[in-house]
Every structure is written in structure tokens, then in C-alpha cells.
């Protein structure tokens, strides 16, 4: 696939590396050209650095790997308001939470994914890849479930394929309005971890319903 990544930091490099290893063509777009060049170099060829606007052209999927403070500006610089992302699967891994506390920052009851959909008219937003640290995708780790939410079947299919390509077991939780629930899970995990508690021990081991096994 032809993948555009908006952002040049840890997650951009992690998923960009994993997708490049899986044979995808990755373009890295950043507001700071030097950081985009450094990220592309860290990922390795054939990944290359481009502008934010170029990173969304002719892409099968775009990953928005930017700090929450920069989401609106980044999408504006990528031409989202003019429709540059219309029809494109836009993967949102954002954790817009109060640092070290985990309280979600959107205070209107909507997920940050819903706000991203507003800032990128026509984009097919999929919440995904927000729960696990970037090195999950580059190191030899046990496979994990990537729960995702979105409205567009094609975009969910693309996100599912890209999840499998990095060794995950992707699962669609529901439509995009359930992204807020996925974001709350991350806030819960972050809140407990920063308070010195093991988040894994705070969740009961509930078996899958028998009729759902094997799905
Ligand atoms: N790192 C992880 O393991 C991980 C895991 C799951 C989800 N996430 C999510 O992925 C996103 C990126 O995280 P990260 O760890 O990769 O962050 P990071 O390494 O700090 O990189 C942040 C990126 O956002 C850009 N940025 C920061 N402030 C900005 C602003 N005000 N305007 C425009 N751009 C801005 C930076 O651009 P410059 O370089 O030009 O400053 C950089 O490209 C976040 O939403 C985070 O919650 C991260």
C-alpha cells in the first residue's frame, strides 16, 4: 500500500518501520523538514520525507501521528480543509489526555477522533493503534489485539490489513462514535500506570463468549 504519515516522532517511526518492513511504501510528512528527513532515515529506504501536503497525495491510507496539540494545525497544513483527505482512510492513534492523569481532554463528550473527522472533511477516520507503545510494532513481542472504531467499511478493511501486517489481531469494536470509549481505555491505563499501579491487574480475565470463539 501507499501510506502517508503525518508526524515525525516515536510512533511515526515505529509504525513506519513496521509497514516498510511489510513491503509498504511510506511517505513521512512533518512540519519540520529536518525531523521528517531524520524520521525517514530512521525508518530506512524506500521511506522518504515530504511536506505535510505531499504526504496525503495518492495515498491508500494516512496515519496521523502528531501530538494532540498539533492535530488541527497539521491537518490544516496538509490541506484537509480543502478536501485533500476526502475519501482516504485516516488512522487516528491519538491519546489526547491530561499528562500523567489520563483524563480525556475533549470536554464535550466526543472523542478526539470525532474532532479529527470535523477537521478533515470527507476523510474516513478510523481510531486505531493508540493503546500500545510504538516499540510493540518493531520488537519481537507477543501479538496483541488492536481494537478499532470507524464508520467506513473500506477504511476499516485497510486498517485491519495494516494491523495484521504489523503482527496484530485487529478487531472492529463499532462505529466511530465508539472511539471515545477506546480513548477512555487508554486514559484508564495511563492513569493507573502513572499512579504506580499495574493496569493489567485492574481488568478481569473474562473469556470470550463461546459462540464468538474462532471469529
Ligand atoms: N509514542 C507512542 O508509543 C504512542 C503510542 C500510541 C499513541 N501515540 C500517539 O501518537 C501521537 C504521536 O506521539 P509520539 O510519541 O510519536 O510523539 P512525539 O515523538 O513527541 O512526536 C510528536 C509529533 O507531533 C508534532 N507536533 C508536536 N506539537 C505540535 C504542534 N503544536 N503542531 C504541530 N505538530 C506538532 C511533532 O512535530 P515536530 O517534530 O516538528 O515538533 C512530531 O512530529 C500522539 O497523539 C500520541 O498520543 C503514541
Amino acid at each position: 500500500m501507499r501510506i502517508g504519515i503525518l508526524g515525525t516522532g516515536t510512533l511515526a517511526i515505529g509504525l513506519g518501520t513496521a509497514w516498510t518492513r511489510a513491503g509498504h511504501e511510506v511517505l513521512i510528512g512533518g512540519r519540520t523538514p529536518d525531523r521528517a528527513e531524520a524520521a525517514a532515515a530512521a525508518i530506512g529506504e524506500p521511506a522518504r520525507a515530504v511536506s505535510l501536503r505531499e504526504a496525503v497525495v495518492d495515498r491508500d491510507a494516512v496515519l496521523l501521528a502528531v501530538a494532540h496539540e498539533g492535530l488541527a494545525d497539521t491537518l490544516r497544513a496538509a490541506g484537509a480543509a480543502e478536501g485533500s483527505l476526502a475519501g482516504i482512510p485516516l488512522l487516528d492513534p491519538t491519546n489526547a489526555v491530561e499528562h500523567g492523569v489520563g483524563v480525556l481532554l475533549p470536554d464535550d463528550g466526543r472523542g478526539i477522533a470525532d474532532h479529527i473527522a470535523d477537521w478533515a472533511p470527507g476523510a474516513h477516520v478510523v481510531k486505531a493503534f493508540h493503546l500500545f507503545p510504538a516499540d510493540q510494532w518493531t520488537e519481537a513481542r507477543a501479538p496483541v489485539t488492536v481494537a478499532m472504531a470507524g464508520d467506513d467499511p473500506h477504511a476499516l478493511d485497510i486498517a485491519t490489513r495494516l494491523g495484521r501486517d504489523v503482527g496484530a489481531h485487529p478487531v472492529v469494536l463499532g462505529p466511530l462514535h465508539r472511539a471515545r470509549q477506546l480513548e477512555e481505555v487508554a486514559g484508564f491505563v495511563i492513569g493507573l500506570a502513572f499512579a504506580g499501579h499495574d493496569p493489567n491487574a485492574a481488568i478481569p480475565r473474562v473469556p470470550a463468549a463461546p459462540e464468538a470463539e474462532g471469529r
Side-chain angles (χ1 to χ4, degrees), residues 132 136-137 139-146 163-164 166-170:
F132 294 93
Q136 171 67 36
W137 315 120
E139 305 301 318
R141 295 270 161 80
V144 293
T145 296
V146 168
R164 288 200 186 115
V166 297
H169 172 53

Side-chain angles (χ1 to χ4, degrees), residues 98-118:
E98 195 179 333
H99 184 70
V101 179
V103 173
L104 293 202
L105 293 176
D107 58 6
D108 57 1
R110 302 165 76 221
I112 196 70
D114 291 307
H115 290 268
I116 288 168
D118 290 347

Side-chain angles (χ1 to χ4, degrees), residues 56-116:
V56 304
V57 176
D58 289 333
R59 298 293 96 187
D60 298 305
V62 170
L63 174 75
L64 183 56
V66 169
H68 65 83
E69 300 92 334
L71 291 171
D73 283 350
T74 299
L75 288 168
R76 197 174 304 116
E82 295 91 63
S84 66
L85 281 152
I88 297 178
L90 179 60
L91 310 181
D92 162 33
T94 313
N95 289 312
V97 299
E98 195 179 333
H99 184 70
V101 179
V103 173
L104 293 202
L105 293 176
D107 58 6
D108 57 1
R110 302 165 76 221
I112 196 70
D114 291 307
H115 290 268
I116 288 168

